[in-house]
Amino acid sequence: MQNTPKGMKVHIGIFGKRNVGKSSILNALTKQDISIVSPTAGTTTDPVEKSMELLPLGPVVFVDTAGIDDEGALGLQRVEKTKKVIDRIDLAIVACDSQGFDEFEELLIKEFETRKTAFIVVVNKTDEGEISTEKLEKIKDYEVEIVYTSALLKNGIDDLKQAIIKNVPEEFFTDTSIASDLIPAGETAVLVVPIDLEAPKGRLILPQVQTIRDLLDNDSIAIVTKERELKKTLDNLKTPPALVITDSQAFLKVAADVPKNIKLTSFSILFARFKGELNEFVKGTLAIEDLKSGDKILVCESCTHHAIGDDIGRVKIPRWITQYTGKKLEFVHYAGHDFPENIKDYALIIHCGACMTNRREVLSRILKAQQANVPMTNYGLTIAYSLGIFERALEAFPSAKLIYDEIKNK
Ligand SMILES: Nc1nc2c(ncn2[C@@H]2O[C@H](COP(=O)(O)OP(=O)(O)OP(=O)(O)O)[C@@H](O)[C@H]2O)c(=O)[nH]1
Ligand code: SF4
Ligand SMILES: [Mg+2]
């Protein structure tokens, strides 16, 4: 989080009338007492800003605001400040209670619509009573996503997180680079691409092509080789590459051929952060240690036709995990946009690299897994772990490595 410039973080503002529970919602979302809460209307007087990690979305800045219905001269000044917050947010949460909307929220929403700011509505204090159908219909006219919460009882907070992930503007999901942040301009990455029976005829697969393009856009140098020519490629280089990136399936051979002073990872691990959340997946991978015979493992592939080879998720990963753990495990496969409801039944979720889907979908799955307390990881990390090269494969990612070390040392 510390490395993400503030300007790159999603800014989420909470708006609404006084006393509807804006500060309480923020505190419930962040599980911290960031904003002062009290029964006195007008408790929050100036915008309260807090940078934090909202898992699995990543770094966000929350901005709590003063009630938009504040009165008097001082109140009007506060309302002006609240309006200024709209200038710097990427997603707005409009909070109300069972009293629903009146002219204050309508004005606020007009402002969001004019500025094309995404917004969602939270009906809070559900523990105090339901909102009337008539009032709800008025909100539904905006064709907006509505979430019901009780910030007091912490109900609906997970639904609110899902709604945030669903409504955060697309650019925040695609701004992450694949590898270029690891290879400074002018430096080299060696990409290892096996051309075996599983490789599609006459072309490279999407993660490889996207990685090359990402490096070129950054003025980094990409050298592509098969695993057989890797040693020679490295010998020919005057300066060692900043990173070697391999297809996961050639991991063992590549790990043997790349000198220890050169960092090594896989396309799939790069995609764990590009399309998912690397740190969460690292924690998830370590749950392999806790697997017991009879456990069910959910294997998710984001597209029905696996471009890398049909058997990676169905044959190789089950084989490698079984060999590593020595346990009798049951593997259940899901493909495409299908994701089971009953994820609590699983001891682990292993996701593919998700090259054909968007990050939003993977993050939404990570959140569901967190809510069900089921560890989740991806193909590349699972393969590296089962083959005993996990630590090495994380060397390029200090914060992920730190998490690994912390858990291991416990
Ligand atoms: N019953 C109930 N009370 C809540 C809920 N959320 C907040 N409250 C209470 O409502 C009061 C106002 O909560 P705040 O979070 O301060 O509301 P706010 O919208 O930030 O208020 P201002 O800062 O004054 O604009 C407090 O007494 C909270 O404890 C809820 O879900 N249910
Ligand atoms: S989306 Fe997943 S299953 Fe499909 S090609 Fe990419 S990594 Fe393989
Ligand atoms: Mg407040």
mmCIF file of all heavy atoms in Angstrom, residues 16-25 27 35-45 64-69 95 124-128 149-154, ligand 1:
data_model
loop_
_atom_site.group_PDB
_atom_site.id
_atom_site.type_symbol
_atom_site.label_atom_id
_atom_site.label_comp_id
_atom_site.label_asym_id
_atom_site.label_seq_id
_atom_site.Cartn_x
_atom_site.Cartn_y
_atom_site.Cartn_z
ATOM 1 N N GLY A 16 -24.506 11.856 2.661
ATOM 2 C CA GLY A 16 -25.893 11.650 3.098
ATOM 3 C C GLY A 16 -26.241 12.666 4.160
ATOM 4 O O GLY A 16 -25.415 13.518 4.524
ATOM 5 N N LYS A 17 -27.474 12.558 4.641
ATOM 6 C CA LYS A 17 -27.915 13.518 5.669
ATOM 7 C C LYS A 17 -27.222 13.223 7.005
ATOM 8 O O LYS A 17 -26.627 12.167 7.182
ATOM 9 C CB LYS A 17 -29.430 13.425 5.828
ATOM 10 C CG LYS A 17 -30.175 13.972 4.613
ATOM 11 C CD LYS A 17 -31.629 14.256 4.907
ATOM 12 C CE LYS A 17 -32.448 13.015 5.071
ATOM 13 N NZ LYS A 17 -32.989 12.495 3.828
ATOM 14 N N ARG A 18 -27.369 14.152 7.940
ATOM 15 C CA ARG A 18 -26.741 13.961 9.252
ATOM 16 C C ARG A 18 -27.364 12.771 9.972
ATOM 17 O O ARG A 18 -28.549 12.488 9.798
ATOM 18 C CB ARG A 18 -26.955 15.216 10.107
ATOM 19 C CG ARG A 18 -26.084 16.378 9.692
ATOM 20 C CD ARG A 18 -26.510 17.636 10.408
ATOM 21 N NE ARG A 18 -27.891 17.965 10.074
ATOM 22 C CZ ARG A 18 -28.630 18.844 10.742
ATOM 23 N NH1 ARG A 18 -28.138 19.455 11.794
ATOM 24 N NH2 ARG A 18 -29.859 19.089 10.369
ATOM 25 N N ASN A 19 -26.551 12.087 10.701
ATOM 26 C CA ASN A 19 -27.025 11.032 11.611
ATOM 27 C C ASN A 19 -27.531 9.733 10.958
ATOM 28 O O ASN A 19 -28.061 8.880 11.639
ATOM 29 C CB ASN A 19 -28.148 11.585 12.508
ATOM 30 C CG ASN A 19 -27.740 11.545 13.957
ATOM 31 O OD1 ASN A 19 -26.652 11.055 14.282
ATOM 32 N ND2 ASN A 19 -28.585 12.021 14.837
ATOM 33 N N VAL A 20 -27.387 9.617 9.634
ATOM 34 C CA VAL A 20 -27.868 8.375 8.998
ATOM 35 C C VAL A 20 -26.892 7.209 9.249
ATOM 36 O O VAL A 20 -27.214 6.059 8.990
ATOM 37 C CB VAL A 20 -28.103 8.537 7.475
ATOM 38 C CG1 VAL A 20 -29.252 9.494 7.201
ATOM 39 C CG2 VAL A 20 -26.833 8.976 6.765
ATOM 40 N N GLY A 21 -25.701 7.546 9.738
ATOM 41 C CA GLY A 21 -24.740 6.489 10.070
ATOM 42 C C GLY A 21 -23.551 6.434 9.120
ATOM 43 O O GLY A 21 -22.903 5.398 8.993
ATOM 44 N N LYS A 22 -23.238 7.569 8.477
ATOM 45 C CA LYS A 22 -22.125 7.576 7.511
ATOM 46 C C LYS A 22 -20.811 7.147 8.172
ATOM 47 O O LYS A 22 -20.096 6.281 7.670
ATOM 48 C CB LYS A 22 -21.959 8.988 6.895
ATOM 49 C CG LYS A 22 -23.175 9.480 6.149
ATOM 50 C CD LYS A 22 -22.985 10.877 5.598
ATOM 51 C CE LYS A 22 -22.785 11.949 6.659
ATOM 52 N NZ LYS A 22 -23.929 12.124 7.587
ATOM 53 N N SER A 23 -20.520 7.796 9.313
ATOM 54 C CA SER A 23 -19.253 7.481 9.986
ATOM 55 C C SER A 23 -19.262 6.044 10.496
ATOM 56 O O SER A 23 -18.239 5.348 10.450
ATOM 57 C CB SER A 23 -19.013 8.450 11.138
ATOM 58 O OG SER A 23 -19.013 9.770 10.641
ATOM 59 N N SER A 24 -20.429 5.588 10.961
ATOM 60 C CA SER A 24 -20.521 4.211 11.464
ATOM 61 C C SER A 24 -20.288 3.211 10.332
ATOM 62 O O SER A 24 -19.654 2.174 10.532
ATOM 63 C CB SER A 24 -21.901 3.959 12.069
ATOM 64 O OG SER A 24 -22.186 4.936 13.025
ATOM 65 N N ILE A 25 -20.802 3.517 9.134
ATOM 66 C CA ILE A 25 -20.613 2.617 7.981
ATOM 67 C C ILE A 25 -19.120 2.541 7.639
ATOM 68 O O ILE A 25 -18.564 1.466 7.423
ATOM 69 C CB ILE A 25 -21.431 3.107 6.761
ATOM 70 C CG1 ILE A 25 -22.923 2.981 7.044
ATOM 71 C CG2 ILE A 25 -21.052 2.337 5.495
ATOM 72 C CD1 ILE A 25 -23.809 3.697 6.035
ATOM 73 N N ASN A 27 -16.595 3.098 9.608
ATOM 74 C CA ASN A 27 -15.893 2.338 10.657
ATOM 75 C C ASN A 27 -16.135 0.835 10.508
ATOM 76 O O ASN A 27 -15.223 0.038 10.704
ATOM 77 C CB ASN A 27 -16.340 2.806 12.045
ATOM 78 C CG ASN A 27 -15.854 4.223 12.345
ATOM 79 O OD1 ASN A 27 -15.021 4.761 11.619
ATOM 80 N ND2 ASN A 27 -16.372 4.830 13.387
ATOM 81 N N SER A 35 -13.744 7.432 12.249
ATOM 82 C CA SER A 35 -14.538 8.640 12.390
ATOM 83 C C SER A 35 -15.324 8.598 13.699
ATOM 84 O O SER A 35 -15.774 7.533 14.124
ATOM 85 C CB SER A 35 -15.537 8.729 11.236
ATOM 86 O OG SER A 35 -14.992 9.462 10.193
ATOM 87 N N ILE A 36 -15.509 9.765 14.286
ATOM 88 C CA ILE A 36 -16.270 9.813 15.543
ATOM 89 C C ILE A 36 -17.755 9.621 15.237
ATOM 90 O O ILE A 36 -18.310 10.212 14.307
ATOM 91 C CB ILE A 36 -16.049 11.172 16.253
ATOM 92 C CG1 ILE A 36 -14.559 11.340 16.548
ATOM 93 C CG2 ILE A 36 -16.880 11.268 17.527
ATOM 94 C CD1 ILE A 36 -14.175 12.735 16.958
ATOM 95 N N VAL A 37 -18.369 8.768 16.041
ATOM 96 C CA VAL A 37 -19.792 8.463 15.885
ATOM 97 C C VAL A 37 -20.508 8.976 17.117
ATOM 98 O O VAL A 37 -20.030 8.800 18.226
ATOM 99 C CB VAL A 37 -19.968 6.925 15.782
ATOM 100 C CG1 VAL A 37 -21.410 6.526 15.970
ATOM 101 C CG2 VAL A 37 -19.427 6.415 14.460
ATOM 102 N N SER A 38 -21.652 9.653 16.921
ATOM 103 C CA SER A 38 -22.452 10.025 18.094
ATOM 104 C C SER A 38 -23.890 10.255 17.665
ATOM 105 O O SER A 38 -24.164 10.502 16.491
ATOM 106 C CB SER A 38 -21.884 11.282 18.750
ATOM 107 O OG SER A 38 -22.562 12.421 18.274
ATOM 108 N N PRO A 39 -24.828 10.193 18.645
ATOM 109 C CA PRO A 39 -26.236 10.402 18.301
ATOM 110 C C PRO A 39 -26.536 11.856 17.960
ATOM 111 O O PRO A 39 -27.612 12.175 17.459
ATOM 112 C CB PRO A 39 -26.982 9.981 19.572
ATOM 113 C CG PRO A 39 -25.972 9.429 20.510
ATOM 114 C CD PRO A 39 -24.636 9.859 20.058
ATOM 115 N N THR A 40 -25.593 12.771 18.225
ATOM 116 C CA THR A 40 -25.821 14.181 17.909
ATOM 117 C C THR A 40 -25.668 14.417 16.411
ATOM 118 O O THR A 40 -24.613 14.081 15.847
ATOM 119 C CB THR A 40 -24.780 15.068 18.650
ATOM 120 O OG1 THR A 40 -24.640 14.578 19.962
ATOM 121 C CG2 THR A 40 -25.163 16.514 18.623
ATOM 122 N N ALA A 41 -26.685 14.987 15.790
ATOM 123 C CA ALA A 41 -26.599 15.273 14.359
ATOM 124 C C ALA A 41 -25.509 16.307 14.127
ATOM 125 O O ALA A 41 -25.405 17.280 14.872
ATOM 126 C CB ALA A 41 -27.938 15.775 13.856
ATOM 127 N N GLY A 42 -24.686 16.099 13.122
ATOM 128 C CA GLY A 42 -23.627 17.067 12.815
ATOM 129 C C GLY A 42 -22.318 16.739 13.511
ATOM 130 O O GLY A 42 -21.508 17.623 13.759
ATOM 131 N N THR A 43 -22.108 15.478 13.822
ATOM 132 C CA THR A 43 -20.868 15.079 14.511
ATOM 133 C C THR A 43 -19.653 15.281 13.610
ATOM 134 O O THR A 43 -18.639 15.835 14.008
ATOM 135 C CB THR A 43 -20.952 13.600 14.946
ATOM 136 O OG1 THR A 43 -22.118 13.451 15.748
ATOM 137 C CG2 THR A 43 -19.723 13.178 15.717
ATOM 138 N N THR A 44 -19.748 14.796 12.388
ATOM 139 C CA THR A 44 -18.646 14.989 11.448
ATOM 140 C C THR A 44 -18.796 16.386 10.845
ATOM 141 O O THR A 44 -19.818 16.683 10.218
ATOM 142 C CB THR A 44 -18.684 13.916 10.337
ATOM 143 O OG1 THR A 44 -18.808 12.642 10.956
ATOM 144 C CG2 THR A 44 -17.447 13.964 9.470
ATOM 145 N N THR A 45 -17.781 17.226 11.065
ATOM 146 C CA THR A 45 -17.921 18.603 10.596
ATOM 147 C C THR A 45 -17.057 18.877 9.366
ATOM 148 O O THR A 45 -17.434 19.612 8.487
ATOM 149 C CB THR A 45 -17.529 19.590 11.708
ATOM 150 O OG1 THR A 45 -16.265 19.190 12.215
ATOM 151 C CG2 THR A 45 -18.552 19.575 12.821
ATOM 152 N N ASP A 64 -14.976 10.519 4.684
ATOM 153 C CA ASP A 64 -16.235 10.678 5.411
ATOM 154 C C ASP A 64 -16.602 12.160 5.338
ATOM 155 O O ASP A 64 -15.725 13.025 5.351
ATOM 156 C CB ASP A 64 -16.024 10.239 6.867
ATOM 157 C CG ASP A 64 -17.340 10.165 7.636
ATOM 158 O OD1 ASP A 64 -18.415 10.216 6.995
ATOM 159 O OD2 ASP A 64 -17.283 10.058 8.881
ATOM 160 N N THR A 65 -17.877 12.455 5.240
ATOM 161 C CA THR A 65 -18.251 13.863 5.062
ATOM 162 C C THR A 65 -19.283 14.298 6.091
ATOM 163 O O THR A 65 -19.920 13.470 6.741
ATOM 164 C CB THR A 65 -18.851 14.103 3.655
ATOM 165 O OG1 THR A 65 -20.061 13.366 3.548
ATOM 166 C CG2 THR A 65 -17.894 13.696 2.561
ATOM 167 N N ALA A 66 -19.440 15.628 6.176
ATOM 168 C CA ALA A 66 -20.468 16.183 7.060
ATOM 169 C C ALA A 66 -21.832 16.019 6.386
ATOM 170 O O ALA A 66 -21.921 15.949 5.164
ATOM 171 C CB ALA A 66 -20.173 17.655 7.300
ATOM 172 N N GLY A 67 -22.873 15.937 7.196
ATOM 173 C CA GLY A 67 -24.230 15.768 6.655
ATOM 174 C C GLY A 67 -24.562 16.852 5.650
ATOM 175 O O GLY A 67 -24.274 18.030 5.868
ATOM 176 N N ILE A 68 -25.174 16.433 4.544
ATOM 177 C CA ILE A 68 -25.471 17.365 3.456
ATOM 178 C C ILE A 68 -26.665 18.274 3.817
ATOM 179 O O ILE A 68 -26.918 19.262 3.164
ATOM 180 C CB ILE A 68 -25.715 16.547 2.145
ATOM 181 C CG1 ILE A 68 -25.640 17.417 0.899
ATOM 182 C CG2 ILE A 68 -27.023 15.789 2.177
ATOM 183 C CD1 ILE A 68 -24.244 17.619 0.424
ATOM 184 N N ASP A 69 -27.363 17.938 4.906
ATOM 185 C CA ASP A 69 -28.548 18.730 5.294
ATOM 186 C C ASP A 69 -28.236 19.675 6.452
ATOM 187 O O ASP A 69 -29.136 20.123 7.145
ATOM 188 C CB ASP A 69 -29.696 17.791 5.693
ATOM 189 C CG ASP A 69 -29.303 16.888 6.868
ATOM 190 O OD1 ASP A 69 -28.082 16.656 7.058
ATOM 191 O OD2 ASP A 69 -30.192 16.420 7.586
ATOM 192 N N ALA A 95 -25.629 7.396 1.640
ATOM 193 C CA ALA A 95 -26.246 6.661 2.746
ATOM 194 C C ALA A 95 -27.544 7.343 3.176
ATOM 195 O O ALA A 95 -27.644 8.572 3.184
ATOM 196 C CB ALA A 95 -25.278 6.603 3.918
ATOM 197 N N ASN A 124 -29.193 2.304 5.535
ATOM 198 C CA ASN A 124 -28.610 1.855 6.811
ATOM 199 C C ASN A 124 -29.680 1.778 7.899
ATOM 200 O O ASN A 124 -30.840 2.133 7.675
ATOM 201 C CB ASN A 124 -27.490 2.841 7.191
ATOM 202 C CG ASN A 124 -26.690 2.392 8.393
ATOM 203 O OD1 ASN A 124 -26.393 1.198 8.534
ATOM 204 N ND2 ASN A 124 -26.359 3.311 9.279
ATOM 205 N N LYS A 125 -29.276 1.315 9.041
ATOM 206 C CA LYS A 125 -30.142 1.184 10.228
ATOM 207 C C LYS A 125 -31.294 0.218 9.981
ATOM 208 O O LYS A 125 -32.414 0.445 10.439
ATOM 209 C CB LYS A 125 -30.669 2.555 10.683
ATOM 210 C CG LYS A 125 -29.565 3.563 11.007
ATOM 211 C CD LYS A 125 -30.053 4.696 11.881
ATOM 212 C CE LYS A 125 -28.950 5.716 12.134
ATOM 213 N NZ LYS A 125 -29.300 6.801 13.017
ATOM 214 N N THR A 126 -31.030 -0.841 9.239
ATOM 215 C CA THR A 126 -32.091 -1.814 8.945
ATOM 216 C C THR A 126 -32.590 -2.479 10.237
ATOM 217 O O THR A 126 -33.702 -3.003 10.269
ATOM 218 C CB THR A 126 -31.579 -2.916 7.993
ATOM 219 O OG1 THR A 126 -30.327 -3.392 8.493
ATOM 220 C CG2 THR A 126 -31.377 -2.403 6.583
ATOM 221 N N ASP A 127 -31.765 -2.432 11.276
ATOM 222 C CA ASP A 127 -32.205 -3.025 12.552
ATOM 223 C C ASP A 127 -33.339 -2.235 13.187
ATOM 224 O O ASP A 127 -34.073 -2.740 14.021
ATOM 225 C CB ASP A 127 -31.003 -3.090 13.519
ATOM 226 C CG ASP A 127 -30.377 -1.737 13.736
ATOM 227 O OD1 ASP A 127 -29.712 -1.226 12.794
ATOM 228 O OD2 ASP A 127 -30.539 -1.155 14.805
ATOM 229 N N GLU A 128 -33.490 -0.972 12.749
ATOM 230 C CA GLU A 128 -34.535 -0.126 13.351
ATOM 231 C C GLU A 128 -35.870 -0.243 12.633
ATOM 232 O O GLU A 128 -36.873 0.270 13.071
ATOM 233 C CB GLU A 128 -34.096 1.334 13.332
ATOM 234 C CG GLU A 128 -33.101 1.660 14.416
ATOM 235 C CD GLU A 128 -32.830 3.140 14.529
ATOM 236 O OE1 GLU A 128 -33.104 3.885 13.554
ATOM 237 O OE2 GLU A 128 -32.338 3.554 15.592
ATOM 238 N N THR A 149 -27.800 -2.143 5.091
ATOM 239 C CA THR A 149 -26.836 -2.419 6.169
ATOM 240 C C THR A 149 -27.399 -2.044 7.532
ATOM 241 O O THR A 149 -28.331 -1.229 7.638
ATOM 242 C CB THR A 149 -25.535 -1.593 5.989
ATOM 243 O OG1 THR A 149 -25.878 -0.199 6.041
ATOM 244 C CG2 THR A 149 -24.815 -1.905 4.714
ATOM 245 N N SER A 150 -26.820 -2.646 8.528
ATOM 246 C CA SER A 150 -26.934 -2.114 9.883
ATOM 247 C C SER A 150 -25.496 -1.963 10.355
ATOM 248 O O SER A 150 -24.846 -2.949 10.690
ATOM 249 C CB SER A 150 -27.701 -3.067 10.799
ATOM 250 O OG SER A 150 -27.459 -2.669 12.135
ATOM 251 N N ALA A 151 -25.020 -0.729 10.313
ATOM 252 C CA ALA A 151 -23.621 -0.503 10.729
ATOM 253 C C ALA A 151 -23.480 -0.860 12.197
ATOM 254 O O ALA A 151 -22.414 -1.284 12.636
ATOM 255 C CB ALA A 151 -23.232 0.953 10.484
ATOM 256 N N LEU A 152 -24.592 -0.720 12.948
ATOM 257 C CA LEU A 152 -24.558 -1.039 14.376
ATOM 258 C C LEU A 152 -24.306 -2.530 14.586
ATOM 259 O O LEU A 152 -23.462 -2.915 15.385
ATOM 260 C CB LEU A 152 -25.897 -0.630 15.006
ATOM 261 C CG LEU A 152 -25.975 -0.707 16.514
ATOM 262 C CD1 LEU A 152 -25.178 0.406 17.142
ATOM 263 C CD2 LEU A 152 -27.435 -0.638 16.977
ATOM 264 N N LEU A 153 -25.044 -3.355 13.856
ATOM 265 C CA LEU A 153 -24.907 -4.817 14.032
ATOM 266 C C LEU A 153 -23.888 -5.418 13.068
ATOM 267 O O LEU A 153 -23.689 -6.622 13.054
ATOM 268 C CB LEU A 153 -26.267 -5.502 13.817
ATOM 269 C CG LEU A 153 -27.436 -5.007 14.667
ATOM 270 C CD1 LEU A 153 -28.713 -5.764 14.322
ATOM 271 C CD2 LEU A 153 -27.116 -5.170 16.152
ATOM 272 N N LYS A 154 -23.286 -4.574 12.223
ATOM 273 C CA LYS A 154 -22.316 -4.998 11.196
ATOM 274 C C LYS A 154 -22.970 -5.936 10.167
ATOM 275 O O LYS A 154 -22.324 -6.819 9.619
ATOM 276 C CB LYS A 154 -21.079 -5.698 11.810
ATOM 277 C CG LYS A 154 -20.468 -4.983 13.008
ATOM 278 C CD LYS A 154 -19.532 -3.871 12.584
ATOM 279 C CE LYS A 154 -18.774 -3.232 13.716
ATOM 280 N NZ LYS A 154 -19.559 -2.377 14.615
HETATM 281 N N1 LIG B 1 -29.746 1.455 15.238
HETATM 282 C C1 LIG B 1 -28.727 1.843 14.512
HETATM 283 N N2 LIG B 1 -28.029 2.926 14.828
HETATM 284 C C2 LIG B 1 -27.002 3.299 14.047
HETATM 285 C C3 LIG B 1 -26.647 2.577 12.900
HETATM 286 N N3 LIG B 1 -25.590 3.191 12.318
HETATM 287 C C4 LIG B 1 -25.309 4.261 13.079
HETATM 288 N N4 LIG B 1 -26.175 4.332 14.124
HETATM 289 C C5 LIG B 1 -26.216 5.330 15.180
HETATM 290 O O1 LIG B 1 -26.662 6.553 14.613
HETATM 291 C C6 LIG B 1 -25.989 7.662 15.217
HETATM 292 C C7 LIG B 1 -25.301 8.490 14.156
HETATM 293 O O2 LIG B 1 -24.243 7.728 13.597
HETATM 294 P P1 LIG B 1 -23.026 8.372 12.834
HETATM 295 O O3 LIG B 1 -22.247 7.281 12.265
HETATM 296 O O4 LIG B 1 -22.359 9.373 13.702
HETATM 297 O O5 LIG B 1 -23.833 9.133 11.699
HETATM 298 P P2 LIG B 1 -23.291 10.186 10.638
HETATM 299 O O6 LIG B 1 -24.130 10.054 9.425
HETATM 300 O O7 LIG B 1 -21.834 10.087 10.471
HETATM 301 O O8 LIG B 1 -23.679 11.538 11.372
HETATM 302 P P3 LIG B 1 -23.048 13.006 11.188
HETATM 303 O O9 LIG B 1 -21.573 12.913 11.275
HETATM 304 O O10 LIG B 1 -23.621 13.750 12.344
HETATM 305 O O11 LIG B 1 -23.525 13.536 9.887
HETATM 306 C C8 LIG B 1 -25.056 7.059 16.250
HETATM 307 O O12 LIG B 1 -25.691 7.082 17.492
HETATM 308 C C9 LIG B 1 -24.850 5.646 15.764
HETATM 309 O O13 LIG B 1 -24.549 4.769 16.801
HETATM 310 C C10 LIG B 1 -27.391 1.415 12.587
HETATM 311 O O14 LIG B 1 -27.143 0.671 11.606
HETATM 312 N N5 LIG B 1 -28.421 1.084 13.419
#
